[in-house]
Amino acid sequence: MREVAVVGGGPRGVAVLERVVAHARSRPPGVRLRLHLVEPHEPGPGSVWRVDQPAELVMNTDGSHVTLFPDPSVEVLGPTVPGPTLQEWCRLALALLADSPRADVDPEVARVFAEGPAPTRTELDPVRDRLTAVLDGAFPSRAVYGLYLRWFFGRARALLPDGVEMVVHRTRAVACAPAAGGRYRLDLADGTRLVVDAAVLATGWLAARRETRAGLRHLPPGNPLDQGLETVPPGTHLAVRGFGMNFFDAMVLLTVCRGGRFVPSGPDGSLSYRPSGAEPVLHVGSRRGVPFRGKAEGRLP
């Protein structure tokens, strides 16, 4: 039996799994393969796209431009599948909530959607407004993308052909090294040792070390959800280095998610921020000195 390990169960990792499963299903019967997925968080969403994060944290890509399915325009080995974009998935999910068989998507896309475990009402009800917002052109909530990834992983697992099995290791990989016979050895944090024919490293964001110097708290680069920002007291003077994507997430978590709100302030539709009083004071800078530009509204044809 051949064995393949994928380290990291976020979007890249589960996209690799989907390609391996698609290849295996296109081969004659008799393929024997064991897939190892190493992921300490939920496979699919991983740590970045988990489904319990605040609605205010959004993607920076239009939902109609997000998909994990390669179509015929992609030069890739193996059969391609016309699976739903994130926007189409939201449309299909809303049809499930409405108990309606019609979702105004291509019938083949709807068929692929039905191949995966259907999202439950318990999953979808709390994000109904966010699903609708995607159809109205808003940038999708990260938690909604997490639900899409959860469904995508479930579909790949449900389509495993005979002779192919998947083992999920809910832990971290701590070492990878060559082994005899052109194989690879993976050491996992729970003490498991895997020897596999191929290893794919799809680790995404890696945790950085935290440091404290001269009584100052240092929050290293990484996912702001995991940096303990909720423990920063109101009124604290907090230095933030960098004006990139993580800055905007951190700013949202420290302002709007603490009760601040935007209110109309002029006839041109401009907004003003009304603090709640629970915010820290942010001192922000970067090598560029200015924030990255926001994306323009509107959709590409």
Side-chain angles (χ1 to χ4, degrees), residues 40-266:
H41 302 279
E42 180 186 358
S47 65
V48 175
W49 306 103
R50 52 188 184 265
V51 301
D52 61 348
Q53 56 189 301
E56 291 82 3
L57 295 182
V58 298
M59 304 180 71
N60 64 347
T61 307
D62 188 289
S64 64
H65 303 160
V66 177
T67 184
L68 286 181
F69 291 93
D71 63 26
S73 71
V74 181
E75 294 183 4
V76 63
L77 295 175
T80 57
V81 177
T85 64
L86 178 55
Q87 186 185 76
E88 290 171 325
W89 188 90
C90 291
R91 195 180 301 279
L92 289 158
L94 285 168
L96 279 181
L97 279 175
D99 296 319
S100 169
R102 298 181 59 83
D104 193 27
V105 300
D106 184 277
E108 183 64 14
V109 169
R111 182 193 65 77
V112 171
F113 175 80
E115 289 177 338
T120 66
R121 187 171 293 274
T122 302
E123 292 175 297
L124 298 177
D125 259 334
V127 297
R128 184 192 296 261
D129 291 345
R130 287 184 254 175
L131 296 170
T132 303
V134 175
L135 303 188
D136 292 338
F139 286 133
S141 158
R142 292 190 180 186
V144 166
Y145 186 43
L147 290 174
Y148 175 86
L149 292 167
R150 175 188 286 175
W151 165 83
F152 183 86
F153 171 73
R155 176 185 176 274
R157 198 169 198 176
L159 292 178
L160 289 173
D162 291 340
V164 180
E165 60 180 275
M166 184 184 299
V167 182
V168 177
H169 303 269
R170 295 293 292 270
T171 185
R172 296 172 53 246
V174 296
C176 179
R183 307 183 84 199
Y184 296 90
R185 187 194 75 235
L186 280 172
D187 295 333
L188 309 187
D190 64 2
T192 302
R193 173 166 289 180
L194 303 175
V195 179
V196 297
D197 298 285
V200 178
L201 304 183
T203 50
W205 265 337
L206 294 175
R209 294 178 58 188
R210 295 174 182 262
E211 301 176 13
T212 300
R213 296 180 181 175
L216 299 177
R217 183 179 177 191
H218 173 230
L219 300 179
N223 184 358
L225 278 174
D226 299 324
Q227 290 181 309
L229 295 177
E230 68 278 1
T231 65
V232 176
T236 299
H237 285 258
L238 187 65
V240 182
R241 188 179 72 177
F243 261 133
M245 196 161 59
N246 279 8
F247 160 72
F248 291 101
D249 290 347
M251 182 177 65
V252 166
L253 290 169
L254 292 168
T255 56
V256 176
C257 288
R258 291 193 173 198
R261 58 195 179 94
F262 288 92
V263 297
S265 61

